[in-house]
Amino acid sequence: MNIKTIIFSALCIAALTLGASAQDRYGQRPPVVLSPDLTAPWVTQLRQNGTAHGAGTVVRQRRTISRQTVNRRQNARVASVRTSRTRQAPKMNPVYLPQIVDYPTGQKPGTIVIDTPNRFLYLVLGNGKARRYGVGVGKPGFEWAGTHRVTRKAEWPDWRPPAQMIAREKKKGRILPTYMPGGPANPMGARALYLGSTLYRIHGTNQPWTIGAAVSSGCIRMRNEDVVDLYERVGNGTKVIVI
């Protein structure tokens, strides 16, 4: 073997060695795997900072806060409604609800007797019985007694306060209208029975809790349900005795 052959063989061997070395240098290497002991503290810290779960955690937290706010507002509304309900006007004493009672009297059936001190209106039925209703009567200084007849009946009557009442209430700082058409807001209520030529009436009221009290300027007031019932049972000319 001559010198040229030896040199060529040496160059080939060197080229093969370099190629293998290059493949080892630029070939795919296995992935780097971190030990759980190294990664765990970082993950724990990220979770404590609230960032380990990403934007989803923040959104859920916001939604939770939003729901809590809505719940607080809803609870506040419910409490407000309950409070307003507890502040409503007191209910009428059930003793003043209509009922049939014993009522011995010499008055003819169909006669109305109003017992002012006890706040009852009796519709005489005969045979010692009467239909009794609770009423509101004139406040102190406005009581009266007498015998009259029903001279007119009206459904949903209008209200024309007397001049004396307008002047009297004005001194108290309350301005009354000179006229108010009939309707649910009208203090005359659903029905009215006018008594003779007086300014007094038996009428309904939109304030049923006042039944059983001395609250009016002389008129006899009843629950709307009760005055409607009485209205259907009596006619013009009915005798009314106020005691």
Side-chain angles (χ1 to χ4, degrees), residues 10-37:
L11 290 173
C12 289
I13 292 170
L16 291 172
T17 301
L18 290 173
S21 233
Q23 288 178 359
D24 290 340
R25 180 179 301 173
Y26 300 105
Q28 293 182 352
R29 295 185 179 183
V32 178
V33 179
L34 294 177
S35 169
D37 296 334

Side-chain angles (χ1 to χ4, degrees), residues 94-218:
V95 73
Y96 296 113
L97 294 174
Q99 54 186 297
I100 304 299
V101 297
D102 292 330
Y103 192 70
T105 178
Q107 299 297 331
K108 295 180 179 180
T111 302
I112 293 174
V113 180
I114 299 172
D115 182 350
T116 301
N118 294 308
R119 320 296 202 246
F120 290 121
L121 182 152
Y122 295 88
L123 175 61
V124 178
L125 301 177
N127 299 320
K129 298 290 184 180
R131 185 171 181 81
R132 190 183 75 182
Y133 306 86
V135 295
V137 299
K139 53 193 172 184
F142 293 88
E143 308 96 332
W144 64 279
T147 300
H148 296 281
R149 298 271 179 181
V150 174
T151 52
R152 187 165 75 90
K153 298 169 59 179
E155 299 184 9
W156 294 106
D158 57 21
W159 184 40
R160 300 175 186 272
Q164 302 93 324
M165 179 185 291
I166 293 175
R168 184 172 61 248
E169 294 300 319
K170 186 176 181 180
K171 291 180 180 179
K172 301 177 183 178
R174 183 186 177 199
I175 306 301
L176 297 182
T178 57
Y179 169 79
M180 179 182 287
N186 192 307
M188 292 288 290
R191 301 289 188 273
L193 306 175
Y194 295 80
L195 304 180
S197 59
T198 72
L199 296 176
Y200 301 127
R201 289 145 289 189
I202 301 171
H203 64 79
T205 179
N206 50 23
Q207 298 177 325
W209 58 89
T210 63
I211 300 303
V215 290
S216 76
S217 295

